[in-house]
Structure formats: structure tokens, C-alpha cells
Amino acid sequence: MTKTALGLKSGKTLRRAASLILSSMLLASCATTTQNTTVATTENAVGNPIITHKYTADPAALVYDDKVYLYAGHDEAPPRHEGYVMNEWLVFSSPDMKNWTEHAVPLDVKEFKWAKSDAWASHVVERNGKFYWYSTVEHATIPGKSIGVAVSDSPIGPFKDAIGSALITNDMTKHTQIFWDDIDPAVFIDDNGQAYIFWGNTVCHYAKLKDNMIELDGPIKTIQLPNFTEAPWVHKNKDWYYLSYAYQFPEKTAYAMSRNIEGPWEYKGILNEVAGNSNTNHQAIIDFKGQSYFIYHNGSIPTDGGSFRRSVCIDYLYYNEDGTMKRVVMTTEGINPVAVKAQ
Ligand code: FUB
């Protein structure tokens, strides 16, 4: 384990502190275990960030078979290091959004032999019983960031490179001069089975995917969105498509809506404010058991948390009657009202 966060909840009850100490001892005793480690129980899961023994960033979530799978990048930058150090991705699962189990590391940059570093933002989707993990990495020979795909028969992996080369490289997108515009994939499968991949930094790109999920199907297009920085996420609610994204820098989250996955998209405003102590925000949006959730990261873990040592948080998401989304209220107590009452 890279870090425990006993200091995080200081000021709460002794009982709670004792519970945290016990949990940390349990975590410490599991330090060399790579399989199915319970990282949070009803006792200590309440509150944001939801994971405190490791720094986790760029959440993506998948609802499958009555469970939520949370995929995240692993921020490994040492204290005071101002830059991303990210070599692997992590996976956690939960039957109830409160109790989270950490599984063995499912994917490492080294799995992509053609890549050299940077396990940046990613997204996992399921199709026909297979799980496809779209991952941002730095390409070893084509200058710039790129997107690879790994595949597994299980949502917790292990995942293997599905292509043996990148799906998207910087030389395929000529809309900007920068080397890091091909990041942050988000895949959406429409009701008619057509899959799309969205991605980008400063420019929002999208393209169709073939049924095999590992080839683009047609041209790369762009979407004009005000102050688009990065981190697109597409979801559907009733008859509306939503495209949320990181807005400006430091990042808020903004969103647009459309009746059609291919647009036109109408900008609707800010969904989430700048997340505490982090210049990035990186949202995922899911519905689970009748409730909508907004998953993001902040830099709130004392003393070393920050923009390069981030932590995943979850808060509720609500819709208005007209389909627009209410602004997210970021909380420290998180999404467990029963346990909050018990404090
Ligand atoms: O984690 C590295 C980068 O920071 C991600 O790709 C962006 O979305 C931002 O969160």
C-alpha cells in the first residue's frame, strides 16, 4: 500500500478512529496481497474520498450484474512531486456503493508493448460478455498520447492488449498541434448497438467503433463545446443524451444535451465546480439501483493530496423535470445517509 489516511478523518469520534485504525491494520496486513482486498466497510466507507489507502484518479464506472465496478488510474507521485506518475490502473467492486473490494491490479502500462508510460484516464465497457478497456498511454514511437484497448472475460481482469498496437494515435488527429489531445476515451453503446468512442483534450473527438470494439468505423469527427478541456463522458437518461466534460482549467464539469448521439449538442452549463485541491475533476456518471451518481476525483487527502495525488469521490446526481441535470453538491460525507446519521 502506498499510503493510509488515518489523518483524514481526524476530529471524528474515537469509535470511528478506532475503526479506521483497525481497517488500516487490516490493509497493512494485506499489503502484499493482490487478490480481493476489502478496502472499505459500512463502518469506514462513508465519506469522501471513498478510497484512502491509495491515491486514485480519473474514475470510470461500469454497472454489470448487480455490481458497480470502479476503474481508476493510480496516482503514484511522491509527496511534493508536481507531475503525474501513473503506471497502472486499479479496479474496485461494490454491491451497494458503500462496501468496496479492491481486486488484483487488472492492467499495467507494460501490457501495451507499443507504449512507454502514463496510465492516464480510461474507460471500460461490456459487450457480448467481454470487457473492453480503453486506455490513454504515451506511445513509444509515435510522438504523443494514444489510446489502446485491452480485453478480458471478466470485469476485474486480467486484461490483455486486444490489438497489439494503438487504436488511436496523435498522427490520426490533425485538429490541434498539441501532443496530448488523444486522451481520455469514453465509449458509449447506443440502443441500436452502434458503439462510439469520444476522447480529446482541447478538442472533443468522436468516431464510430466496429462491432468488434477494436477498430474505428468511419471518420474521426469533432464536436464544438464551450471551453472543452478534456474528459468527455456520454450517458443517456430517458430520451436525452448527455455529454459531460472538463471545462476550463482548473477544471469544472460542464455538459451538453442532445436528442441524438451524433448531435447537435446544446450546451447546458456547469454541472460541477472545481473539485477541492485538484486542478482536474474527471467525472463518471452512472445509475445504480434507481439512483444516479456523480463520480469524480479531488485532492483532499491531507497532507500530500493534490493535483497529482488525487482521490475518487462519489456524490448524488439529480435531474430536473425538463431533463437538465442539477448542479452536483460535492460533500465530505458522501452517499451513505444511514451511517452519517449514526455519527
Ligand atoms: O490523470 C491524467 C490526466 O489528468 C487525465 O487523463 C485527465 O483527464 C486528467 O484528469
Side-chain angles (χ1 to χ4, degrees):
M1 302 285 162
T2 52
K3 185 176 191 324
T4 57
L6 288 175
L8 176 65
K9 313 277 182 181
S10 63
K12 299 205 172 173
T13 63
L14 277 178
R15 184 170 151 272
R16 190 148 161 70
S19 157
L20 279 170
I21 289 165
L22 277 174
S23 305
S24 298
M25 286 166 65
L26 173 66
L27 292 172
S29 74
C30 294
T32 54
T33 305
T34 53
Q35 292 287 341
N36 301 350
T37 307
T38 299
V39 294
T41 68
T42 310
E43 271 294 291
N44 67 8
V46 180
N48 279 324
I50 62 159
I51 295 157
T52 54
H53 69 288
K54 286 178 178 174
Y55 291 111
T56 52
D58 302 326
L62 169 71
V63 176
Y64 180 76
D65 220 3
D66 266 350
K67 278 192 177 176
V68 177
Y69 293 88
L70 171 66
Y71 303 91
H74 185 189
D75 267 343
E76 298 175 87
R80 292 174 296 285
H81 178 84
E82 294 294 299
Y84 298 123
V85 179
M86 306 180 80
N87 301 303
E88 63 186 16
W89 294 269
L90 307 173
V91 61
F92 304 83
S93 66
S94 172
D96 54 13
M97 302 286 282
K98 298 177 202 164
N99 299 285
W100 291 95
T101 298
E102 180 176 14
H103 302 278
V105 170
L107 185 61
D108 189 292
V109 171
K110 292 194 197 87
E111 176 59 27
F112 298 113
K113 302 284 181 272
W114 45 268
K116 72 174 176 197
S117 58
D118 294 349
W120 283 18
S122 67
H123 188 198
V124 179
V125 293
E126 182 269 341
R127 177 158 215 166
N128 299 331
K130 287 198 180 297
F131 300 84
Y132 296 89
W133 194 322
Y134 299 82
S135 321
T136 307
V137 285
E138 180 76 19
H139 203 284
T141 55
I142 301 172
K145 289 283 182 286
S146 54
I147 294 170
V149 193
V151 66
S152 175
D153 292 331
S154 161
I156 60 169
F159 284 80
K160 297 289 168 200
D161 189 348
I163 310 175
S165 58
L167 172 69
I168 295 164
T169 50
N170 186 56
D171 54 358
M172 291 165 64
T173 52
K174 306 285 184 199
H175 308 104
T176 72
Q177 298 299 312
I178 63 176
F179 286 101
W180 58 92
D181 59 309
D182 297 294
I183 66 170
D184 293 6
V187 171
F188 179 83
I189 303 174
D190 205 356
D191 300 334
N192 63 6
Q194 177 64 58
Y196 293 83
I197 182 167
F198 295 75
W199 74 99
N201 179 292
T202 63
V203 172
C204 184
H205 306 288
Y206 77 102
K208 285 182 179 171
L209 284 167
K210 291 188 180 169
D211 287 351
N212 64 16
M213 302 298 276
I214 58 171
E215 288 177 87
L216 299 188
D217 193 6
I220 295 172
K221 299 180 183 172
T222 63
I223 306 169
Q224 299 305 316
L225 294 162
N227 290 298
F228 177 85
T229 302
E230 57 189 5
W233 178 273
V234 175
H235 75 280
K236 194 175 182 194
N237 184 51
K238 297 184 180 155
D239 289 336
W240 286 107
Y241 296 86
Y242 298 80
L243 172 44
S244 52
Y245 62 95
Y247 172 102
Q248 297 178 335
F249 195 85
E251 296 173 349
K252 301 172 187 178
T253 306
Y255 76 105
M257 287 168 65
S258 176
R259 289 292 191 189
N260 190 304
I261 186 66
E262 300 215 33
W265 293 96
E266 185 178 339
Y267 178 70
K268 291 293 179 182
I270 301 301
L271 179 59
N272 194 32
E273 296 292 341
V274 174
N277 202 30
S278 171
N279 56 23
T280 58
N281 204 310
H282 206 111
Q283 81 294 350
I285 292 171
I286 57 165
D287 281 356
F288 183 61
K289 298 187 176 171
Q291 175 67 53
S292 300
Y293 295 96
F294 186 83
I295 310 175
Y296 59 104
H297 63 225
N298 67 20
S300 69
I301 288 189
T303 307
D304 299 319
S307 295
F308 303 108
R309 285 163 296 280
R310 300 163 289 181
S311 300
V312 170
C313 300
I314 305 178
D315 278 300
Y316 295 114
L317 176 73
Y318 298 103
Y319 293 85
N320 295 309
E321 285 286 309
D322 65 358
T324 55
M325 293 187 282
K326 292 186 196 291
R327 202 173 280 223
V328 171
V329 178
M330 289 183 280
T331 67
T332 51
E333 65 265 36
I335 57 165
N336 191 340
V338 176
V340 168
K341 251 187 247 160
Q343 281 179 29

